[in-house]
Amino acid sequence: MQEWSPDTLFEKAKAFADNAFTVDPRSDLFPLLASFSLEALGKAALAKIHPALIGDPRGEGQNILYAFGVPTKDPRTIVAKTVFSRLVLLVPGFSEDDAKACLLMAERRNRHLHTGEQAYDGYKSGVWLPDFYRAVMVLTDFMGRDVVDFLGKARTIEASQTTAKEDERIKSEVSRRIKACSQAIRSLNEQELAARRQTGEPRHSWISISPELWMKAHACPACQSKGALTVKHVSDRPAEIVDSTIYVDSIYSPRKFECRVCGLIVSGVPELRVAGLADEIVDSTESDPAEYFDIEVASSPYDDYGNE
């Protein structure tokens, strides 16, 4: 099972990255090797938690058993899409935006390898390299490894500068957007603002969009009206019993904010962070123990007995 160990996978990912940075950056090999590197590094991060996380669940369980040391013929690991979706759930700082960027690289790689499409035509490094750097920095940090060991000193400096510039660009853009919406709202009189809020604000505090996604009414950072914050259910804290009542805290992670009063739209964790909307949300619910555990309480035969 040595080939599924986090250290072995890390070294495989590093080898791909080393090769990527030695080829002509204008060639197809540059993004191709980088995509191989990202997938291997993602598997290394999952394997650090437990190798079973990279075992392909399809089949009769032999791949999962292999992760526990059971000899298996031709053990297979999960596909890139599953790798990146699991990283979102298990690696702090690896956002859905990171997963989307990594998956786009993997999908383009697959089109390049498995179809007649010239998938890398016009695919310049400025499109994908900042995303590559950010994912590498998050994953190496999670593994407790120095990013310099992976990228080298010169590339690490470039990665830090590139991600810093991207963060600054996002900060500038979101701040500009908030300011423009705020100024537009200030130009309205009280009656016009009241009318917009009457038609544009959510009518409910929480609305279910899907089993995992919810809409929560939240104050707009531009106009202070109520906007719609789309959140994703992440987990539930262990139930607590207080005075015969069960309390459960559900944890939600913000994904997008939209205000129909001033028109502000903020999407993705980096933008939400600038707008002050990226904090996880806790929603507490309470229930009767019988309801929580789905227990049917039978009536007592003495309920109608009188003590006359």
Side-chain angles (χ1 to χ4, degrees):
M1 203 195 73
Q2 179 63 25
E3 67 270 27
W4 283 20
S5 74
D7 289 341
T8 302
L9 286 163
F10 182 89
E11 292 303 321
K12 182 72 170 288
K14 182 180 181 303
F16 280 132
D18 289 343
N19 288 331
F21 292 132
T22 59
V23 302
D24 186 336
R26 297 166 297 180
S27 74
D28 294 349
L29 281 175
F30 190 27
L32 178 67
L33 291 169
S35 69
F36 289 152
S37 177
L38 266 187
E39 184 173 344
L41 184 59
K43 289 179 179 178
L46 292 176
K48 179 178 175 60
I49 302 171
H50 197 286
L53 287 171
I54 65 172
D56 189 340
R58 293 174 295 181
E60 298 181 356
Q62 65 270 20
N63 299 315
I64 303 299
L65 291 174
Y66 180 74
F68 287 92
V70 178
T72 301
K73 183 179 179 181
D74 299 327
R76 296 186 178 184
T77 58
I78 52 178
V79 297
K81 181 178 181 179
T82 306
V83 171
F84 301 130
S85 64
R86 289 184 179 179
L87 290 173
V88 173
L89 297 174
L90 299 170
V91 175
F94 194 89
S95 68
E96 288 196 351
D97 291 332
D98 293 325
K100 289 178 182 177
C102 292
L103 184 57
L104 285 174
M105 289 184 64
E107 290 175 342
R108 187 178 291 267
R109 173 197 71 196
N110 291 340
R111 296 201 305 273
H112 177 76
L113 293 175
H114 303 299
T115 75
E117 179 184 356
Q118 299 297 325
Y120 289 130
D121 280 358
Y123 191 55
K124 297 182 179 180
S125 61
V127 175
W128 59 267
L129 194 53
D131 296 322
F132 173 83
Y133 282 146
R134 170 169 168 75
V136 166
M137 294 174 75
V138 171
L139 295 174
T140 52
D141 180 67
F142 173 76
M143 294 189 69
R145 306 291 290 260
D146 191 334
V147 68
V148 175
D149 293 339
F150 191 88
L151 293 176
K153 185 176 180 180
R155 285 285 177 176
T156 297
I157 293 173
E158 182 188 359
S160 299
Q161 293 175 342
T162 300
T163 53
K165 288 179 181 178
E166 180 63 10
D167 289 344
E168 188 60 34
R169 184 195 67 77
I170 293 173
K171 181 179 179 180
S172 176
E173 167 59 23
V174 174
S175 298
R176 181 201 64 76
R177 214 181 298 162
I178 291 175
K179 182 178 180 181
C181 290
S182 180
Q183 290 176 339
I185 282 296
R186 285 201 297 268
S187 68
L188 302 177
N189 59 42
E190 292 184 5
Q191 290 76 19
E192 291 172 329
L193 178 57
R196 282 201 183 188
R197 285 177 171 169
Q198 177 67 28
T199 58
E201 289 187 326
R203 297 186 180 183
H204 303 282
S205 297
W206 287 86
I207 297 176
S208 175
I209 301 174
S210 72
E212 290 188 339
L213 293 177
W214 290 73
M215 185 286 295
K216 184 184 185 305
H218 195 286
C220 174
C223 70
Q224 305 307 310
S225 304
K226 289 182 180 179
L229 182 65
T230 301
V231 297
K232 181 178 181 180
H233 179 253
V234 178
S235 63
D236 293 324
R237 296 184 61 238
E240 296 182 356
I241 302 177
V242 180
D243 296 332
S244 300
T245 300
I246 293 181
Y247 295 87
V248 177
D249 290 339
S250 296
I251 314 299
Y252 297 88
S253 178
R255 291 294 182 265
K256 180 180 179 181
F257 177 82
E258 181 176 3
C259 178
R260 295 185 178 179
V261 177
C262 68
L264 177 68
I265 298 178
V266 183
S267 181
V269 174
E271 291 193 358
L272 288 166
R273 187 181 298 116
V274 174
L277 298 169
D279 294 340
E280 289 190 336
I281 292 172
V282 180
D283 181 51
S284 298
T285 58
E286 60 179 74
S287 61
D288 178 86
E291 177 185 350
Y292 181 81
F293 291 108
D294 195 22
I295 299 173
E296 184 176 346
V297 180
S299 60
S300 169
Y302 301 103
D303 285 348
D304 296 328
Y305 182 78
N307 293 318
E308 299 177 355

